[in-house]
Amino acid sequence: MISDQVLSERMAAGDQDAFEMLVTRYHGPLLSYTSNQLQDRQKAQDIVQETFLRLIRHLRQHGALEHVRSWLYRVALNLCKDYWKSSAYKSEGLAGEEFPERSDPSAGAEELFEQQETSMEIAVSLGTLPEVQRNIVSLRFFSRPEAAGDIGAAGSPPEHGQDSPLQWA
């Protein structure tokens, strides 16, 4: 398998096949991640498309990337944040519903109540975490476990002698 760095070098040189390989490699995982973040698959598809467009622009302007996967996830997350701050998001009436409730239609009233209570407890607990930790926990438990390190790789350096952001969670 060709490494991401080699593919980004080839893309920077204008290789269309390299771009298609990267899209094939990351489109599904990025779509899953952004869908989980936004709870809106259509908007997630738009964000993934914009992420790849920004990758092309970045490679044209700055050349190859060393950590392509981390860069893609960081850009996708930043686009999600930009969307949450946008007037479009606020006008949709979704502001404040960071963790939409999902109910199992076959579950009884007691089970639904317990699910809602657990969801509220998780939302409150996640809300108390710093942003980097919250994103790592969300990636680890609600998306792709192997992607949890991606946020830390592109984020802030560890503080107080810690080895990685995963230790913060």
Side-chain angles (χ1 to χ4, degrees):
M1 184 163 85
I2 300 173
S3 74
D4 292 347
Q5 186 174 2
V6 170
L7 288 175
S8 78
E9 290 168 2
R10 288 175 46 188
M11 280 179 61
D15 185 343
Q16 180 66 29
D17 291 335
F19 175 71
E20 290 175 16
M21 290 172 79
L22 264 176
V23 169
T24 299
R25 188 175 293 174
Y26 289 110
H27 185 272
L30 278 172
L31 183 58
S32 175
Y33 174 67
T34 55
S35 292
N36 187 28
Q37 290 290 320
L38 300 172
Q39 300 298 317
D40 180 346
R41 190 157 178 92
Q42 182 62 42
K43 187 63 185 167
Q45 288 174 339
D46 293 343
I47 285 184
V48 169
Q49 182 177 11
E50 179 63 26
T51 300
F52 284 113
L53 289 173
R54 289 188 183 198
L55 175 64
I56 292 169
R57 282 188 222 122
H58 179 85
L59 292 173
R60 284 183 182 160
Q61 293 175 357
H62 304 288
L65 284 168
E66 189 173 340
H67 301 285
V68 176
R69 182 172 66 174
S70 298
W71 189 93
L72 287 169
Y73 277 90
R74 175 54 64 188
V75 169
L77 178 61
N78 287 340
L79 288 169
C80 289
K81 289 178 185 179
D82 290 346
Y83 172 66
W84 291 325
K85 293 175 191 174
S86 74
S87 60
Y89 174 73
K90 293 174 184 171
S91 69
E92 291 172 2
L94 299 175
E97 289 186 337
E98 189 171 332
F99 299 97
E101 297 175 346
R102 298 181 191 171
S103 61
D104 179 5
S106 64
E110 185 176 325
E111 290 175 79
L112 288 174
F113 178 76
E114 288 176 11
Q115 287 174 358
Q116 289 174 346
E117 194 171 75
T118 302
S119 293
M120 288 173 34
E121 289 173 5
I122 290 171
V124 169
S125 296
L126 283 175
T128 64
L129 293 174
E131 183 179 1
V132 171
Q133 290 178 352
R134 187 173 48 247
N135 289 329
I136 290 171
V137 170
S138 293
L139 276 171
R140 171 64 177 89
F141 294 102
F142 305 113
S143 184
R144 295 184 317 116
E146 68 274 13
D150 293 346
I151 296 296
S156 306
E159 298 181 46
H160 307 295
Q162 292 180 334
D163 293 331
S164 78
L166 288 176
Q167 292 177 340
W168 305 340

